[in-house]
Amino acid sequence: MAPQRFREQFDQIQRAMRDVPLAMGPDDSAEFLYEKGVVLARDGEEAEIVEDAVRTFFTQAPDLTPDTVRRASPRRNRSGITRIQVGDPGEGAPGADRAVAGALRALRQAEGRAGRRLVSRNHVVSIAVNACPGDEPAPAPPHEPPNPAAAEGLHDPDTAVGVLVVDTGLMGDYRSYPLLAHTDGDLQLQETDEQGVLQQYVGHGTFIAGLVAAVAPNTDVTVRNSLNDAGAILESEFGERLFDAVDASGWPDILSLSAGTSNGRTDGLLGVQAFMEELREQHTLLVACAGNNASATPFWPAAYADLPEWQDSVLSVGALRGDGEFGACFSNHGAWVKVYAPGERLTGPLTGWAAPVPYVYQHSTYDTCRYGFGYGCTCQFPRHTGVLSDENALAKPDQVMFQGLAQWSGTSFATPVVAGLIAAHMTAHKETDPRAARRQLLAANTEFAEVRGAHVPALLPPTWRAVPAEPPVAVA
């Protein structure tokens, strides 16, 4: 049974993607979301193999209908992926999708013969998987400086490192924050609702850009608003959006990506395979978040860092808690996560520089850490009541005002910290190859942290201030 926060996220994403019926998988668990009644295959011959195999399988299954199997997206795209409808998306409960499960079973033998995957669910790639970011933003305490603070250094347009952030767009007042003077890109499409209240997840891209600029002043940061719809997009579209982002800006030195999904597999996402293959041939280093499910299950695209073909071109990033000594309660973990950085209660730019902007919390905090940790983590603190939480249906949700800086947690934010450290290393050592800079930085690193009993490399920015772990929150 999916936990409370995941169900709240599911409902939020379903409302944003109202024309796309979604299901939870597998079997109503909290591992991933996907498009109901649809599977993915590569264009051409493989799509035909999938269609034929599914029709044959459905003919032998009395409760499945072979007549529903047809192409759902005939238009070819650069990702080389076709959506194939295998069932009626309107049938069954949100957590049940017998047609997609049957289609996956139908191709098992064919995949074994082919030696490669032929079919996939159409997963939801999101910044909002199981409370990803690790929490909702909170206004920074009065007079709280940015953390990490701005590093010393000047912006030199001739040597600046190019960093592309694929995320939500920039807030309209982002240039009011001095560190974002050399940031460019797309604006957030809709910052507030009809009542002038901030939408959930807006400001995510702006916060990330501010972290990069703080750690590495000699950067040209470009933000693309590829994930504006509650931070979510279908896998079938995600690869195309990544191609669009690099087409618009050129292949950057560093691509900072704070989104992804699990898929229950160890061989990547079918929908981004074409992009990942082209990435491998470029000079770009993809720095990607490990996700916030407190799980060892691979989270993609970050987990490509553990596949031999991409170990040089992808770096996966987990989050440390505020003291920098241990893993944050929410951070994914495992051998596929290659480095960790501070990701709990970082302080950076959000919005409201000209005038305060209200925000209503969507999720309620917990009485105890939902992952079983004993410190005052983001599950518990700062405490608030959210509008989506069922047990608080009669309680009034808490509202706060944002004016400038915010505190926010997640592997989403550890990721740009690492991207910034690699960029700063490139500037300091006059290194033009971001992949070489990554190797040099990790080879010279002497800091380690403890994550789930393992000692892991920890990258700590010189201007970052460790914050002692909060004591457990006492609940009356």
Side-chain angles (χ1 to χ4, degrees):
M1 187 69 165
Q4 167 197 326
R5 184 66 62 90
F6 190 80
R7 288 190 170 276
E8 293 171 4
Q9 292 284 11
F10 176 87
D11 292 340
Q12 189 88 349
I13 292 173
Q14 181 63 90
R15 281 193 292 273
M17 304 175 71
R18 54 186 177 275
D19 297 329
V20 182
L22 300 178
M24 298 182 190
D27 303 323
D28 195 27
S29 75
E31 189 169 329
F32 50 75
L33 306 179
Y34 64 98
E35 183 181 11
K36 199 173 179 185
V38 168
V39 296
L40 301 183
R42 295 179 184 85
D43 289 338
E45 181 181 352
E46 290 193 10
E48 295 174 5
I49 292 173
V50 170
E51 289 175 313
D52 291 344
V54 174
R55 286 194 186 99
T56 300
F57 181 86
F58 282 11
T59 299
Q60 301 165 357
D63 56 343
L64 298 172
T65 307
D67 294 341
T68 62
V69 181
R70 61 181 182 273
R71 300 285 174 97
S73 55
R75 180 180 64 85
R76 289 182 178 270
N77 57 52
R78 192 170 173 185
S79 294
I81 293 298
T82 293
R83 292 170 59 249
I84 299 174
Q85 183 173 325
V86 295
D88 182 353
E91 292 182 353
D97 195 339
R98 288 180 52 78
V100 167
L104 298 177
R105 288 196 300 273
L107 270 294
R108 284 177 184 168
Q109 289 187 349
E111 288 183 328
R113 291 191 298 270
R116 63 186 296 186
R117 181 166 35 153
L118 299 174
V119 67
S120 167
R121 291 180 175 91
N122 192 14
H123 301 90
V124 175
V125 178
S126 178
I127 65 169
V129 176
N130 205 357
C132 178
D135 63 357
E136 293 175 81
H143 312 298
E144 173 93 3
N147 189 21
E152 292 185 2
L154 300 175
H155 177 266
D156 176 5
D158 294 328
T159 62
V161 178
V163 179
L164 174 61
V165 174
V166 176
D167 208 88
T168 63
L170 291 159
M171 302 299 279
D173 59 356
Y174 79 94
R175 288 198 183 277
S176 298
Y177 187 60
L179 290 185
L180 296 181
H182 305 291
T183 298
D184 205 352
D186 306 326
L187 294 179
Q188 177 81 37
L189 294 183
Q190 186 176 357
E191 296 182 9
T192 62
D193 62 17
E194 293 79 4
Q195 286 73 46
V197 177
L198 282 175
Q199 305 264 46
Q200 194 174 17
Y201 306 119
V202 302
H204 192 260
T206 303
F207 197 89
I208 287 170
L211 293 173
V212 174
V215 176
N218 192 30
T219 49
D220 285 330
V221 181
T222 302
V223 179
R224 292 294 168 213
N225 61 359
S226 306
L227 301 171
N228 264 321
D229 293 333
I233 189 172
L234 289 172
E235 179 182 339
S236 57
E237 301 172 15
F238 185 52
E240 197 73 8
R241 293 281 185 91
L242 290 172
F243 275 124
D244 289 344
V246 297
D247 286 347
S249 307
W251 285 92
D253 295 309
I254 300 170
L255 198 168
S256 181
L257 179 64
S258 294
T261 182
S262 302
N263 66 350
R265 299 182 61 104
T266 59
D267 55 357
L269 295 176
L270 199 62
V272 302
Q273 192 69 19
F275 178 83
M276 296 303 298
E277 289 174 357
E278 187 157 337
L279 168 74
R280 191 173 53 202
E281 305 306 316
Q282 302 292 332
H283 82 290
T284 298
L285 175 67
L286 171 61
V287 183
C289 73
N292 302 326
N293 300 332
S295 170
T297 300
F299 188 82
W300 307 96
Y304 278 97
D306 205 41
L307 300 183
E309 306 97 305
W310 284 279
Q311 287 179 349
D312 196 45
S313 54
V314 181
L315 180 60
S316 49
V317 183
L320 300 176
R321 71 187 197 186
D323 58 13
E325 297 180 5
F326 299 91
C329 72
F330 52 78
S331 181
N332 284 350
H333 51 90
W336 58 273
V337 183
K338 300 305 178 183
V339 72
Y340 291 77
E344 191 173 67
R345 299 194 181 100
L346 300 181
T347 305
L350 192 74
T351 192
W353 298 94
V357 185
Y359 177 75
V360 176
Y361 281 105
Q362 300 297 298
H363 307 287
S364 296
T365 46
Y366 292 67
D367 291 342
T368 58
C369 175
R370 64 189 187 274
Y371 302 122
F373 282 65
Y375 74 103
C377 63
T378 58
C379 300
Q380 306 167 268
F381 179 83
R383 296 195 65 77
H384 50 253
T385 297
V387 69
L388 297 176
S389 301
D390 292 339
E391 69 270 26
N392 293 301
L394 299 179
K396 183 179 180 181
D398 290 323
Q399 177 175 301
V400 292
M401 303 295 289
F402 281 103
Q403 188 165 19
L405 297 177
Q407 288 187 335
W408 216 344
S409 304
T411 61
S412 283
F413 310 123
T415 297
V417 168
V418 171
L421 285 170
I422 295 169
H425 181 92
M426 293 175 67
T427 295
H429 297 272
K430 296 182 172 55
E431 175 61 68
T432 59
D433 182 350
R435 299 179 183 183
R438 165 262 186 97
R439 292 191 296 270
Q440 295 160 11
L441 183 65
L442 290 179
N445 179 60
T446 59
E447 297 286 348
F448 290 85
E450 183 177 328
V451 177
R452 308 279 178 155
H455 291 278
V456 299
L459 292 178
L460 308 177
T463 61
W464 170 75
R465 303 181 308 280
V467 179
E470 295 282 347
V473 177
V475 179

